[in-house]
Each structure stands twice: as C-alpha cells, then as structure tokens.
Amino acid sequence: MKAVARLVYSYFMGAPVTRAFTIVGLVLLAIDFYMLTALPQSGGTLWAAILGLIAFFTGSSLMPVMFGRLARSHSIRVLPHGRIKLLASAFITTVLVALPAGILSLAAFTSGVSVSKSLLVLAEDPKILAFVLQATELTFTSSFLLVCWLYLAMWFITSERNLAGFIKGLLVVMVAIFAPAREIRDLSVSLVWNLQQIAAIWIVFGAGFLLWPRYRAAIARRGRSRFASFGNKLGPGISGREFDLLLGTANPWLLIAAQVCPIVIATRIGYDTPSVWLYYLTIFSTVAGAIAGQAAERSRALWLRGDWSRDALFTQVERAFWRHNSYVLGSLLLLMVGIGSYAGFSVTMLAAGLPLLVLGTVLSTYLGLMITRGLRTLEALLGVGVMLSLMAVSVLVASERVDLVAVITLEVCLAVLAVVLRSVARRRWTQIDWMACRRDRALSARGA
Amino acid sequence: MNNATIEASNLSKSFGEKQVLRDISFGVSPGDVIGVLGKNGAGKTTLLELVLGFTAPTAGEVRVFGHQSYNLPGQTKARVGFVPQQDELLDQLSVADQLRVIASFYPRWDAEMIARLCADWSVDLKARVKAMSVGERQKLSILLAFGHSPELLILDEPVASLDPIARRQFLEQLLTLSADGQRAIVFSSHIVSDVERLANRIWILKEGRLDWQGDLDSLKESIVRLHIRGAGSELPELTIPGVLTVQREGAFATAVVRDWTPEAHQALEKSASVQIEVEPLGLEEIFVELHR
C-alpha cells in the first residue's frame, strides 16, 4: 500500500510543473466548491470548475509517462508485486482525477434544488434525492471514463513517440470525443452502461497488463511473434531520401494512414455533427506537426555528416518537415472537404475551418522545432496555449452564429504567432546544443 | 598553419551552476591514440562532444583540423568519425540499408573494408536493426564510423556493450587503423586494460580538469609505488615529495607518489637514511590511486 501511495503521490507531485498544476487545480476546485455551496450559481462557477478539472488532470500527467516507463522497465520484474501495485496506482489516480467532477456535480445539484443547500433536506424527498445521486453517479462515471481514455491516449503518445504510438493515441482520442458526444445526442447515457464500459476497460487493460510478461515468455519460447513478421513485411518498402530517413520525415503515408483510419471508423460510428468533426480535425492537424519535436535530437547525426552550418541545417530540416507535412496536411484538407459534404458543413465553416487546420499544422510544427533543449515550462505552456486557442477558434467557427470578424482576427493572430515561433525556432537552431536537447539526459544531471 | 588534428585551449564548460570542465588545454596530432579515463561524471563525454562541436564551450576554444569545432565545415566533418555512447541507428531499416544511408553522406566510403568487417564481426547485413542486440548495434555503430576512413576517430565508450571476442576484434581493427600513423583516435573507456593496450597517450580527467596528459610510459614512470625500509625498528618521519597515499607499519612504509624522478629517489634515501624499492604500477592501479 505504501508503494501504491508513493506512486500516486509522485504522479501528482513528482515534477515542479505537475506539482504547480495539481495545487492550482485543487485550489480552483476548492474555490468552486465554496462558490457552488455558498454563493448563487453563475457562469463563473462553471469556468472555475472547468479550469480546476483541467489543471488537476494536467497535474497528474506524469502518471501515463511513469506508468509506461516502469511497465517497460526491467525493474518491474523484480519488484515484489510490481505490476499489481503499478496497476492499482493507475486506477486510484484515475479515481482521484475523476472524483472532483462528481463532488462538484453533487454540490451543484444539491444547491440547485435545495434552498438550504443540504443533502439532509433533500433526503426528505426521496425522488429528488435519487435524481441528485443519479446525476452525480453519472457525472462521476462519465468523467472516470473520459479520464481513462485520455490517460490511455497520453500513454500511447508519450511512451512510444512514433507513428504507431500516434495512431493508437488518435484512435483513443477519437473514442474519447465521439463516444460521449454520441451519447449526448442519443440521450443514451446510463449508469449501468458507464459501469459496464469501466469494467470492460479495466478488466481488459488490467488482464493484458498483468499477463503480458507471460505472453511474452510464451512468444519467446515459440520463436517469434506473428506481429514481428508483419513488421518485417513492412520493412523493405521503406524508402526516401537519406536526410529524411535520419530525420524521420521519409514516409508521410504512415501518418496519413494514421489519420484516415480513425476518421473512417468515426464515420462508421455514424456521427455527423459538424462542430465535433471540426474539433476532431483540428486536433489531428496539430498531431501532424508534433513529430517535429524530435527534430533537434535527431539532427545531431545530420550535422556531423553534412556540409551544413547550424543555420543551414535549420533550413534543411524545415524543408524536410514541409515536404512531409504538405502530404499530411493536404490529405487532411481533402478529408475535411469530404467530411464537410458528409456532415453538412456550411461554406463559412469550411472557409474558416480550412485555414484553421493549416494553422494547427504550422503552429505545432514550429512549436516542435522550437524544442531544442528538451520540453521545458515555456514550451509546455505555449503548447497548451496554442491547443486551447485552436480549440476555441474551432468552437467559434462551429457556433450557430459565426462571428466572422472574431474568427478571422483570431486566425490572423495565430498566423502571426506562427511567424514568431518560426523566428524563435530559427534563432534557437543557430545555437543548438546537442548535449542539451537529448531527452534521455537531464541537463542538471549532466556530468559526463 | 600547423598540422594538428585537434587543438584546445583553456577550455571550460558549465551546465548552469555546474562546472563540468575547467581550463583544459591539449593538442592531438596524427598518429596519436588517446585513451580518456575518468570516473563517472568526470566530463569525458562533455569533452568529446565539445571536440565534435555538438556544444559550445563556456570559455576557451577547440579547433579540429584548424576549424573552430562549433562551426565545422562539411569537408572537415567528412574527415571525422564518431561512435556515440548510445547508438543513433534507424530501427526500421536493415543493416545493409543503414550502411547505405550513412555511406551516402560521404564522398569516400570504403565499401570493401566494411564488407570485410561485417564478415569478420559476424554482422548480418540482412538483419533488421530493431531486432539486433545491444552489442550488435554497437558493432554497427562502429562500422558506420569507420566506413569513410576518418582521419580523426572519436569513440565514446565504444566497447561497453561488446563481448570479449568482439572487443578484441574491435581493438585489433583500431590498431590496424592507427598503424599508418596518419589518423588520430580519441576514445573514452572504463575498461582500463583496453586503454593500456591500445593508447599511446593517456588523458585522465578528474573533477573537470585534465589531471594527467602524456604518453603511457611517462605516466607509468611518473606514478609509482615505493616500498621504504628504515634502518632501525621505527621509520623516521618522512617528507615524501608528490605523495598520493602512504601506509606505515614499524620500519616499513608503502607510498604511492606522482612525478617521481631518480633525483627525488636519491634525495629521499640520503636525507632519511632509508632504502627505497620502486614498484611500477599498472594503469588501473594508477587510475585508482589518483582517485583515492
């Protein structure tokens, strides 16, 4: 139990940034709880709750990273009950992160239906009490499910850091967005269904996680995995310029496939609300540029082997990424037009949405190229800010009464930001220090 | 312009508050095979990466073939080979493809030598990089650094993951490469016996400084163990110049000293009326004594 508690504590408080997010999240949630129980309800209470929940969730973002690293480590094999404790810590963290939504929901409903804002008063009316408790349970379980999916997406993306990881992450993001949206549309959400989903996720994930070592041992005894032979079949097809191979931009088609597959699945689910599609495609546009975050680290081998100064290397790397991203972005824009006709996008929405996707890719590419000294607070905050801005614009574009002036202004602002990010990235590359940009080495710990 | 391969002057490097290298100066010429020794965290990798221009010095300067290392031109880079501590191989490729990719960056590539080395080192050209063991990956990294016959070869703990046979083959290849006296090799290693076998010059890094730089024989002559025997039952008080460690027991004492010279030997015997026997030390013992 001590180990589990220590792990959970580390997930929230392990790094200065996550610690700050956790504390800010808890403070905001406490303030919101007070506002809900002591003051009249207003729009401010909703925003405080949303920001608090986002901050608290962000504060726990070490969980999937640490979980992934420990799960793959050799030490987990020798730690007593290591896997079970790790799994328990993940479950408890998910419960903790989902819990505030349930508590706030309970506080909101209680204060909404009871003048004295007390559950004891509600208890006198069994029907109202049942309604409030049911709403709370639904909020908690829905929140729990969403947190599960988001952790899973983060785990795939952060632990694998390759296209396979992105594909898995995008699939999970798709489920996380579309499943709740569909339930809201169909009014099909129910406590039993939520509990069934939670049970299914944790039983499958838990069993897979706990039995994985046995599976691997069995595979090793039998020779090799069928998946491995599948991977080998993919291999000889790899082609591309040597520069791109070293940089990881040789094959845009994998990323295109990674985008098309979830979208095809989403269309099979049958969801057709334009706002959700736009939101979803905007997220995809940023993923296209995310691989640029590895460029600095990978470029060391290029610098040593080519006739490029640091400045010239940036130009080459930038070109390589645009060669790669132009295919990915092009396919995404085509998909948007296709989906637009399928989901009934308005002309205004298409006209404002297409530049938004371009901006998503451009901004994320230059944010990635800016990372020349590891992911630090500035880059993390910029990343969160850019994502939130893009999301906000997508919500504005998809709203019933589109304020075109506001949308265009915001898009112009984002374009200016992209130019600024590019100039920062270029300046950083002219002074790139390959000792500082390797993710496997913490700068402060560097001695040799 | 002289023909020095590397020239470093007053080189310092800090990471934030932490100073990793302090005021280091050295020169490397063709024919030098330099073994860099130091404890973990002594600054070996930092020193090698400064030479390669991966990072800028906080103070001082490194020149490689006359060019500032931080801004090496392409022709100069083509004269440098590097084996990193952690390989930078492309997992999705086969060995043959990986070799082809790297070969394409160089105007000269000795495909014949690489083919021969692949055969000698049992490197399967058809194998997929991601399926290779750590040792096999290390062999491939070394091959990639050898292929363009670099005039300066820098290796950061290249043999750490190799089995004894592969290590021996690798050392033999390095000896072959260095035999023509036209190229310089700088390598760091914790395997002192390898350094002793291969290097003709030694750098010992301690607390960010080059505690020793010079040829191996001079090092062995300079740092020695003295067995001192007094005339009576108790050894008189001794002032031993350059003493690193000393152990006394009755009429006997054992001391490890640095910068030992025949003159110092004679002077001590005469002034303290003692008999001194000098025991040469192996490189590993010297390294340990310097770090006590």
Side-chain angles (χ1 to χ4, degrees):
Chain A
M1 196 60 208
K2 199 174 152 192
V4 175
R6 170 51 64 182
L7 280 169
V8 173
Y9 178 80
S10 304
Y11 297 151
F12 287 99
M13 310 296 268
V17 178
T18 57
R19 196 180 308 142
F21 271 108
T22 303
I23 292 167
V24 169
L26 286 174
V27 169
L28 281 171
L29 291 170
I31 291 170
D32 196 60
F33 185 79
Y34 170 75
M35 286 163 74
L36 280 169
T37 51
L39 302 174
Q41 290 189 8
S42 67
T45 52
L46 180 66
W47 277 107
I50 290 171
L51 290 175
L53 290 170
I54 289 173
F56 193 51
F57 173 78
T58 311
S60 70
S61 56
L62 266 185
M63 194 276 270
V65 178
M66 279 179 67
F67 184 91
R69 182 158 295 189
L70 282 170
R72 284 157 192 268
S73 69
H74 294 294
S75 60
I76 198 74
R77 297 179 196 171
V78 292
L79 289 171
H81 310 297
R83 281 189 169 260
I84 289 175
K85 286 176 182 170
L86 197 58
L87 189 64
S89 72
F91 185 80
I92 290 169
T93 307
T94 314
V95 171
L96 287 176
V97 174
L99 207 52
I103 293 171
L104 292 180
S105 166
L106 181 62
F109 278 111
T110 306
S111 62
V113 296
S114 157
V115 179
S116 61
K117 302 175 189 238
S118 162
L119 265 181
L120 291 174
V121 177
L122 287 182
E124 290 169 8
D125 188 336
K127 280 186 181 171
I128 295 180
L129 181 66
F131 167 74
V132 169
L133 290 179
Q134 192 193 18
T136 303
E137 288 161 358
L138 269 179
T139 309
F140 171 68
T141 50
S142 297
S143 165
F144 187 91
L145 268 173
L146 182 65
V147 171
C148 287
W149 290 124
L150 289 176
Y151 278 142
L152 203 56
M154 284 174 75
W155 182 39
F156 284 137
I157 291 170
T158 55
S159 64
E160 299 194 21
R161 294 194 67 179
N162 54 26
L163 280 175
F166 283 131
I167 293 171
K168 291 176 196 168
L170 287 176
L171 276 167
V172 172
V173 167
M174 189 206 70
V175 173
I177 290 176
F178 278 90
R182 192 178 186 190
E183 282 170 351
I184 291 166
R185 186 193 64 172
D186 299 344
L187 297 175
S188 62
V189 62
S190 75
L191 182 63
V192 175
W193 172 230
N194 274 1
L195 289 174
Q196 282 171 346
Q197 288 183 80
I198 290 171
I201 289 170
W202 280 92
I203 288 170
V204 170
F205 180 72
F209 179 69
L210 295 174
L211 298 176
W212 178 245
R214 292 186 189 184
Y215 170 76
R216 284 194 68 174
I219 290 296
R221 277 198 298 275
R222 280 199 354 225
R224 54 192 309 192
S225 155
R226 277 186 292 166
F227 297 111
S229 60
F230 174 70
N232 284 348
K233 278 177 197 162
L234 284 179
I238 293 168
S239 62
R241 296 193 326 135
E242 290 76 8
F243 188 97
D244 290 316
L245 273 172
L246 287 177
L247 199 60
T249 51
N251 197 344
W253 301 108
L254 278 173
L255 191 53
I256 290 170
Q259 292 184 328
V260 170
C261 288
I263 287 171
V264 168
I265 294 170
T267 55
R268 300 312 299 162
I269 291 173
Y271 202 71
D272 55 6
T273 297
S275 57
V276 177
W277 272 117
L278 185 62
Y279 193 77
Y280 185 43
L281 289 168
T282 309
I283 292 178
F284 267 39
S285 71
T286 61
V287 173
I291 50 169
Q294 299 170 41
E297 191 184 332
R298 284 174 171 242
S299 65
R300 187 176 89 156
L302 286 167
W303 184 80
L304 197 60
R305 295 191 167 89
D307 189 9
W308 302 293
S309 63
R310 281 166 164 78
D311 197 25
L313 186 61
F314 175 78
T315 309
Q316 295 290 331
V317 169
E318 190 185 19
R319 274 187 202 153
F321 270 96
W322 281 117
R323 265 197 307 275
H324 177 269
N325 287 352
S326 58
Y327 287 98
V328 179
L329 183 60
S331 72
L332 201 61
L333 294 176
L334 284 174
L335 272 172
M336 184 165 177
V337 174
I339 288 166
S341 56
Y342 160 78
F345 281 22
S346 65
V347 175
T348 314
M349 197 169 167
L350 272 178
L354 291 171
L356 187 64
L357 299 196
V358 177
L359 282 169
T361 303
V362 174
L363 283 163
S364 66
T365 300
Y366 287 115
L367 259 173
L369 291 176
M370 266 178 63
I371 301 173
T372 57
R373 296 176 73 87
L375 188 62
R376 294 189 298 178
T377 312
L378 175 68
E379 289 84 4
L381 290 176
L382 267 171
V384 171
V386 164
M387 280 303 284
L388 288 177
S389 309
L390 290 166
M391 299 295 104
V393 177
S394 83
V395 169
L396 272 181
V397 171
S399 60
E400 278 185 22
R401 277 184 238 160
V402 188
D403 183 352
L404 263 181
V405 176
V407 169
I408 292 169
T409 308
L410 282 170
E411 289 189 345
V412 169
C413 288
L414 288 174
V416 171
L417 178 64
V419 175
V420 173
L421 293 183
R422 182 186 180 274
S423 82
V424 173
R426 178 164 209 123
R427 203 177 63 240
R428 287 187 174 184
W429 275 71
T430 57
Q431 299 161 348
I432 193 167
D433 184 329
W434 281 286
M435 292 193 85
C437 70
R438 297 178 65 175
R439 69 190 146 94
D440 55 329
R441 296 178 184 183
L443 189 62
S444 56
R446 287 303 313 275
Chain B
M1 188 187 280
N2 61 28
N3 67 344
T5 307
I6 308 173
E7 284 176 301
S9 53
N10 310 110
L11 203 57
S12 296
K13 178 71 185 175
S14 302
F15 293 105
E17 299 275 297
K18 186 174 179 179
Q19 188 154 21
V20 179
L21 297 175
R22 300 156 201 265
D23 199 26
I24 289 177
S25 299
F26 56 83
V28 177
S29 303
D32 284 347
V33 181
I34 296 170
V36 186
L37 293 172
K39 289 202 296 188
N40 293 329
K44 300 185 294 294
T45 301
T46 303
L47 181 64
L48 298 185
E49 297 201 358
L50 273 168
V51 170
L52 288 158
F54 291 158
T55 184
T58 313
E61 188 183 54
V62 198
R63 288 189 165 270
V64 177
F65 297 114
H67 297 277
Q68 203 186 34
S69 71
Y70 194 67
N71 296 308
L72 285 181
Q75 304 95 308
T76 306
K77 288 180 204 167
R79 299 164 72 185
V80 179
F82 171 53
V83 179
Q85 205 171 37
Q86 284 170 322
D87 70 67
E88 294 167 339
L89 303 174
L90 299 164
D91 280 349
Q92 67 270 40
L93 300 186
S94 68
V95 171
D97 284 339
Q98 171 79 65
L99 286 165
R100 269 184 224 120
V101 166
I102 298 301
S104 70
F105 282 84
Y106 295 105
R108 275 185 314 167
W109 185 261
D110 194 341
E112 219 170 275
M113 177 185 73
I114 292 299
R116 180 174 53 76
L117 286 176
C118 282
D120 290 351
W121 295 8
S122 310
V123 175
D124 179 6
L125 289 169
K126 289 179 188 161
R128 201 146 286 281
V129 173
K130 69 179 171 192
M132 295 169 87
S133 70
V134 180
E136 288 170 329
R137 293 173 72 103
Q138 188 68 351
K139 283 184 197 174
L140 182 54
S141 294
I142 293 165
L143 289 174
L144 295 175
F146 280 0
H148 57 293
S149 303
E151 291 167 59
L152 170 62
L153 189 55
I154 295 181
L155 308 103
D156 191 2
E157 297 193 25
V159 292
S161 320
L162 300 184
D163 62 58
I165 296 167
R167 230 175 74 214
R168 185 168 284 263
Q169 287 171 329
F170 163 73
L171 293 175
E172 281 167 6
Q173 184 57 34
L174 268 190
L175 282 170
T176 310
L177 277 175
S178 63
D180 61 7
Q182 297 300 307
R183 67 189 88 233
I185 298 171
V186 182
F187 72 105
S188 69
S189 179
H190 285 298
I191 303 173
V192 182
S193 58
D194 289 346
V195 176
E196 193 164 11
R197 190 161 161 233
L198 191 65
N200 53 31
R201 290 182 64 200
I202 304 292
W203 293 349
I204 297 178
L205 276 167
K206 187 180 172 186
E207 291 161 8
R209 293 181 194 281
L210 262 184
D211 195 34
W212 173 271
Q213 58 170 320
D215 61 72
L216 184 57
D217 293 337
S218 306
L219 177 64
K220 286 185 171 178
E221 283 166 16
S222 168
I223 299 176
V224 291
R225 182 177 288 129
L226 307 178
H227 297 279
I228 306 166
R229 190 163 61 180
S233 59
E234 283 293 318
L235 201 62
E237 278 302 313
L238 294 172
T239 308
I240 309 170
V243 67
L244 295 171
T245 58
V246 63
Q247 283 180 312
R248 299 170 64 105
E249 198 174 319
F252 297 94
T254 309
V256 176
V257 293
R258 68 181 293 169
D259 304 324
W260 192 244
T261 59
E263 293 76 32
H265 186 126
Q266 283 177 357
L268 185 61
E269 274 190 333
K270 201 171 171 185
S271 64
S273 302
V274 290
Q275 282 188 322
I276 301 172
E277 269 181 51
V278 177
E279 180 194 352
L281 296 175
L283 185 55
E284 188 161 331
E285 282 178 299
I286 291 173
F287 180 75
V288 171
E289 292 295 345
L290 281 175
H291 285 87
R292 269 186 205 274

